[in-house]
Amino acid sequence: MWKLLKNDFLIERTNKKNIIACIVVALFVFGLFSYIKIENSQKLIDEKASEYQSVASALTKFQTADAMDYGNGSDLYYNLLQQQRYVVNQSMALKIERPQLYLDTGIKLAELRESAFDLEGYEKVAANLPGKTENQLDSILYQFMDKTGLLVSQDTLSFFPFLLNLFMMLGSFWFIFISIFSCGILIEEFRHTSLIKGYPVSFDKYVLAKSASAMLIVCFFIVELFICSLPFIYFYGAGDPKYPIAIFDGSFKVIGTFEYIGIAVVYMIFIAIFTILLSLILNVLLKNTYLTLFVQLLLFIAPSLFPALVSLVPFNPFNYMNFTNLLSGQSLELAKPIGLELIHGLICIGIGIVLMLIAVKLFFTAGKLKKV
């Protein structure tokens, strides 16, 4: 078995598809760096400018009488006016480098938004303002930084802040990338059965070796992400590995950047194993690369197409494939909110992996190798 794995890995590492995938990963890292350097040099200031425009748009939905001193303006209107002032204050605090003022104003802004959720007519302006989950994440982060004496940082180019942005972005399409990478994992074997006729092993062992070699390539992709990011330490410094970020994991809490990256890597490994096994099973059933990829993408977007299924079937492993959305608490914004947790996601994906391994062991036989 070990010799088979070694032989298969030696073949896979020279495969043009794998070489191109490695180049794509490297280009993605440097491309993201260029984007952040050009577009996000003043990320927080730009975000506050966008928030100001959103609140201004919400205010346009009120009658002129609401703006008069003698008018009967609604509580929501005056709440939004205060929000607008606080957003301006936050933007100015960033420009004049007053991080503590930014935090103090942010805490008050989060409190204002929390009170606005229960005011009459809020549903008319809800689309222009942050949701309850996003506001709660901001609130807990501001309060944590205020209590611990940490200052707001606009650094996005040094090593750890860049890695944080990198893995947050990867979380949204890692499953798609691995699906594209592995969707034809066994197609050549079905087209040319003579490729494995000479191996003195059963088909299930060959399939497991094939999956293991593919997973080794994926692990190299993950290592490559870190390697390609290392030069940023020399040019921009390491940054703060403990800089806080707010997440939802059954409850709202704050973790460090390094911990978030660790969670992301664990999820990426679990998702990669799950996706590779799913690809080879679909290859056996469908015997077509494009059909395999289509089914995988359909399963991935199903929770978005039918959000009610997320609450109805919370143990579906595809609910957890986008770990960026999972950590940002987007499941709380569904029509029927449900608090999806990290550990539950790993358990569901892990159970899926075990079931697929059992299927490989029990049902994959040499008799299934038929030319297509």
Side-chain angles (χ1 to χ4, degrees):
M1 179 68 178
W2 169 249
K3 290 182 179 180
L4 175 62
L5 175 59
K6 182 180 179 180
N7 181 69
D8 196 59
F9 179 72
L10 290 173
I11 295 173
E12 288 298 325
R13 74 177 186 178
T14 58
N15 189 312
K16 289 184 179 179
K17 180 192 69 174
N18 296 333
I19 294 173
I20 292 173
C22 289
I23 295 173
V24 168
V25 170
L27 290 176
F28 173 76
V29 174
F30 294 116
L32 178 63
F33 167 75
S34 300
Y35 171 78
I36 292 176
K37 187 176 181 180
I38 296 172
E39 300 293 336
N40 291 11
S41 57
Q42 293 182 310
K43 182 179 179 181
L44 288 177
I45 295 176
D46 293 341
E47 286 179 355
K48 290 303 161 184
S50 178
E51 282 186 39
Y52 179 87
Q53 292 298 328
S54 296
V55 177
S57 297
L59 285 169
T60 61
K61 298 181 181 182
F62 289 84
Q63 298 296 323
T64 305
D66 290 319
M68 303 296 183
D69 293 335
Y70 53 82
N72 57 348
S74 66
D75 292 336
L76 179 59
Y77 176 79
Y78 292 118
N79 182 291
L80 292 176
L81 280 179
Q82 288 181 287
Q83 285 191 39
Q84 192 176 49
R85 295 190 188 102
Y86 283 138
V87 171
V88 172
N89 290 343
Q90 276 196 304
S91 182
M92 291 303 300
L94 290 170
K95 292 177 181 178
I96 63 177
E97 298 184 353
R98 295 278 301 276
Q100 188 57 47
L101 176 60
Y102 176 87
L103 288 178
D104 294 339
T105 308
I107 292 172
K108 294 176 182 177
L109 177 61
E111 291 173 350
L112 266 177
R113 286 173 172 167
E114 182 67 28
S115 63
F117 294 137
D118 299 321
L119 295 179
E120 183 180 355
Y122 178 79
E123 64 280 355
K124 297 179 181 178
V125 297
N128 299 99
L129 301 172
K132 292 183 178 181
T133 301
E134 183 180 348
N135 187 62
Q136 185 66 26
L137 289 171
D138 288 341
S139 178
I140 192 173
L141 180 61
Y142 292 148
Q143 292 177 20
F144 175 85
M145 297 184 72
D146 184 54
K147 290 178 182 178
T148 56
L150 293 173
L151 299 179
V152 176
S153 172
Q154 297 191 66
D155 177 22
T156 57
L157 294 177
S158 57
F159 183 66
F160 284 105
F162 175 76
L163 279 182
L164 177 63
N165 284 318
L166 177 64
F167 283 102
M168 289 179 72
M169 184 169 289
L170 278 173
S172 300
F173 62 86
W174 179 248
F175 176 87
I176 297 175
F177 174 73
I178 301 301
S179 294
I180 295 172
F181 167 73
S182 65
C183 62
I185 189 170
L186 282 181
I187 294 301
E188 287 301 315
E189 280 74 4
F190 282 104
R191 288 177 178 169
H192 309 286
T193 57
S194 58
L195 287 175
I196 65 169
K197 289 296 185 180
Y199 285 111
V201 294
S202 60
F203 183 43
D204 59 340
K205 290 183 179 180
Y206 177 85
V207 168
L208 290 175
K210 187 82 172 179
S211 303
S213 63
M215 191 60 212
L216 286 174
I217 299 294
V218 171
C219 289
F220 178 79
F221 293 157
I222 297 174
V223 173
E224 186 183 5
L225 294 172
F226 288 95
I227 292 174
C228 291
S229 303
L230 285 176
F232 305 150
I233 297 178
Y234 177 79
F235 291 105
Y236 300 98
D240 185 5
K242 296 182 180 180
Y243 190 79
I245 178 171
I247 66 166
F248 176 79
D249 183 20
S251 61
F252 294 97
K253 63 181 183 180
V254 175
I255 62 174
T257 295
F258 189 78
E259 187 177 352
Y260 187 102
I261 294 171
I263 292 171
V265 170
V266 171
Y267 255 85
M268 287 167 70
I269 292 173
F270 269 68
I271 291 172
I273 297 173
F274 181 93
T275 310
I276 290 171
L277 290 173
L278 179 62
S279 292
L280 64 89
I281 289 175
L282 290 175
N283 277 182
V284 171
L285 296 176
L286 303 175
K287 298 181 176 64
N288 185 284
T289 299
Y290 300 109
L291 278 177
T292 295
L293 182 59
F294 174 77
V295 172
Q296 287 175 313
L297 297 182
L298 186 62
L299 291 171
F300 177 71
I301 65 174
S304 300
L305 294 176
F306 309 102
L309 291 177
V310 178
S311 303
L312 185 63
V313 191
F315 49 82
N316 176 8
F318 290 95
N319 293 341
Y320 303 90
M321 291 297 158
N322 188 332
F323 58 82
T324 299
N325 287 350
L326 178 66
L327 291 169
S328 63
Q330 289 198 11
S331 61
L332 298 176
E333 299 293 334
L334 299 174
K336 293 183 178 179
I338 180 170
L340 299 180
E341 300 182 29
L342 287 171
I343 189 63
H344 294 163
L346 291 178
I347 291 172
C348 291
I349 297 173
I351 291 173
I353 291 172
V354 171
L355 291 176
M356 285 189 286
L357 285 173
I358 292 173
V360 170
K361 187 65 179 175
L362 293 181
F363 303 112
F364 283 15
T365 63
K368 288 186 176 292
L369 279 175
K370 297 179 181 178
K371 193 173 183 179
V372 294

